[in-house]
């Protein structure tokens, strides 16, 4: 017995019509009829007298109707109360992030999530790789945002893939490299390049080391440079910034050129097994957010 079966029965009984009930429920007439047939089969008795011109309740149907009305009223009231509680209860999610990246990663996602889920407070917590397990177990963090190649050795942790990420190179529109379609590590000689503030991450370390090897005359810096400072340097026209594409700000006067796809990587979150409804809700939101970009 399902809620939909009860809803179909209740609508037909109230209107004495399959046609009106199907319109009210946004179902086809055959779908409503099928739901009631399944219900009658499960109960073991008929609920309606059916003729080509009318529909009326059997004696059993009249008794069942009174109980169904009370049951559905209680059900809908309980759902409404639960939704109100859920929407007005404040939750806190502590998101583990690498050192010095609170203003660099995910600002757009965090801002949009706050608009859509104002009752959930996101708190970035600095958390290094070696302390992920203890931080999760102690409740210091609810998840650790990271690339899939983060060196987490604890097999008990679950990795939740959020999206495939790539790198781009952000620069002033008038920079000589602004017209390129794709950039490779060998094309940064004599350039001043700002790198992301997490050079120890394998995916970042790999691309940075590749650029150093193939563009030995490039100047790489910027691990401790804030977002605002990076933008000021980019607008000067003298710097480029190596940036994960999901965090590449759209600004007038700046452009972004895709890096070679060999540098793509998976980004997600590490959690303990069965981390809880709010964590799963955030992960699903993030997956949908990046899929729709």
């Amino acid at each position: 017995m399902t809620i939909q079966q009860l809803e179909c029965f209740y609508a037909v009984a109230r209107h004495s019509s399959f046609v009106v009930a199907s319109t009210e429920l946004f179902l086809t007439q055959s779908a409503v009829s099928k739901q009631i047939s399944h219900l009658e089969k499960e109960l073991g008795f008929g609920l309606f007298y059916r003729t080509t011109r009318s529909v009326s309740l059997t004696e059993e149907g009249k008794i069942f109707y009174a109980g169904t009305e009370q049951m559905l009223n209680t059900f809908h009231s309980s759902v409404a109360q639960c939704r109100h509680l859920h929407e007005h209860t404040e939750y806190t999610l502590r998101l583990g992030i690498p050192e010095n990246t609170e203003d660099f990663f995910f600002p757009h996602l965090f801002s949009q999530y706050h608009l859509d889920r104002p009752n959930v407070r996101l708190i970035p917590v600095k958390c290094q790789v070696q302390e992920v397990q203890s931080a999760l177990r102690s409740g210091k963090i609810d998840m650790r945002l990271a690339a899939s190649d983060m060196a987490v050795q604890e097999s008990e942790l679950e990795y939740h893939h959020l999206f495939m990420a790539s790198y781009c190179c952000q620069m002033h529109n008038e920079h000589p490299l602004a017209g390129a379609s794709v950039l490779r590590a060998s094309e940064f000689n004599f350039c001043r390049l700002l790198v992301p503030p997490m050079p120890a991450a394998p995916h970042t370390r790999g691309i940075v080391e590749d650029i150093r090897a193939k563009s030995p005359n490039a100047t790489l810096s910027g691990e401790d440079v804030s977002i605002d400072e990076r933008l000021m340097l980019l607008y000067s026209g003298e710097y480029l910034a190596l940036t994960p594409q999901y965090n590449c700000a759209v600004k007038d006067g700046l452009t972004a050129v895709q890096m070679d796809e060999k540098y793509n990587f998976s980004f997600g979150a590490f959690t303990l097994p069965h981390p809880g409804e709010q964590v799963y809700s955030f992960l699903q939101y993030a997956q949908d957010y990046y899929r729709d970009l």
Side-chain angles (χ1 to χ4, degrees):
M1 188 180 303
T2 66
I3 292 296
Q4 186 178 42
Q5 289 173 347
L6 295 177
E7 294 278 16
C8 288
F9 163 74
Y10 186 60
V12 173
R14 280 190 297 111
H15 298 294
S16 298
S17 170
F18 280 85
V19 175
V20 176
S22 62
T23 301
E24 179 181 284
L25 298 170
F26 299 100
L27 296 171
T28 64
Q29 187 175 339
S30 61
V32 173
S33 180
K34 186 177 294 186
Q35 291 293 327
I36 291 177
S37 294
H38 288 324
L39 179 60
E40 289 178 323
K41 184 176 181 180
E42 184 175 344
L43 292 172
F45 52 80
L47 296 169
F48 295 103
Y49 294 119
R50 302 170 175 84
T51 69
T52 55
R53 295 185 177 182
S54 65
V55 177
S56 59
L57 288 167
T58 63
E59 290 304 311
E60 295 89 344
K62 292 176 182 177
I63 297 173
F64 192 73
Y65 174 80
T68 299
E69 183 174 37
Q70 182 178 357
M71 189 187 308
L72 289 176
N73 287 338
T74 301
F75 170 76
H76 290 303
S77 176
S78 298
V79 169
Q81 291 177 46
C82 290
R83 283 179 176 164
H84 182 272
L85 176 64
H86 181 75
E87 291 170 0
H88 292 80
T89 299
E90 292 192 355
Y91 299 94
T92 297
L93 278 181
R94 296 171 176 82
L95 310 179
I97 58 174
E99 189 81 16
N100 299 324
T101 60
E102 57 264 39
D103 295 323
F104 190 80
F105 289 93
F106 306 103
H108 311 302
L109 168 63
F110 288 0
S111 296
Q112 190 60 48
Y113 189 83
H114 177 69
L115 290 175
D116 294 339
R117 306 282 195 279
N119 62 315
V120 182
R121 184 184 179 200
L122 300 179
I123 301 179
V125 179
K126 297 175 184 178
C127 177
Q128 296 306 305
V129 172
Q130 59 269 24
E131 63 175 320
V132 170
Q133 178 193 11
S134 60
L136 285 168
R137 285 182 171 175
S138 67
K140 177 182 177 181
I141 60 173
D142 298 298
M143 70 184 80
R144 172 49 152 84
L145 298 172
S148 61
D149 56 6
M150 187 180 78
V152 175
Q153 303 300 324
E154 301 300 327
S155 59
E156 71 173 278
L157 300 184
E158 292 182 352
Y159 177 72
H160 307 265
H161 170 75
L162 297 181
F163 57 91
M164 285 303 299
S166 59
Y167 274 101
C168 66
C169 191
Q170 202 169 12
M171 66 197 77
H172 194 279
N173 287 342
E174 297 182 3
H175 193 281
L177 294 178
S181 57
V182 176
L183 285 175
R184 295 171 178 81
S186 59
E187 299 178 72
F188 294 99
N189 268 316
F190 305 103
C191 291
R192 295 181 177 181
L193 183 63
L194 302 171
V195 299
M198 52 180 300
H203 62 278
T204 303
R205 186 173 64 247
I207 187 173
V208 170
E209 290 177 351
D210 211 17
I211 291 172
R212 282 200 173 105
K214 296 177 180 178
S215 295
N217 295 311
T219 301
L220 277 61
S221 61
E223 291 92 337
D224 300 321
V225 176
S226 70
I227 288 290
D228 291 338
E229 291 172 325
R230 291 170 78 89
L231 289 175
M232 288 178 62
L233 292 172
L234 287 174
Y235 277 120
S236 74
E238 298 180 6
Y239 287 82
L240 304 91
L242 187 64
T243 309
Q245 191 173 34
Y246 56 80
N247 193 51
C248 195
V250 178
K251 299 286 185 179
D252 291 338
L254 299 181
T255 190
V257 179
Q258 190 74 34
M259 291 295 297
D260 191 310
E261 65 179 16
K262 67 182 278 189
Y263 303 115
N264 291 359
F265 60 97
S266 170
F267 211 99
F270 287 90
T271 70
L272 292 175
H274 314 296
E277 179 187 351
Q278 290 304 317
V279 172
Y280 277 126
S281 177
F282 174 82
L283 294 173
Q284 184 62 59
Y285 183 95
Q287 289 172 344
D288 293 341
Y289 175 85
Y290 287 109
R291 183 171 56 245
D292 294 340
L293 285 181

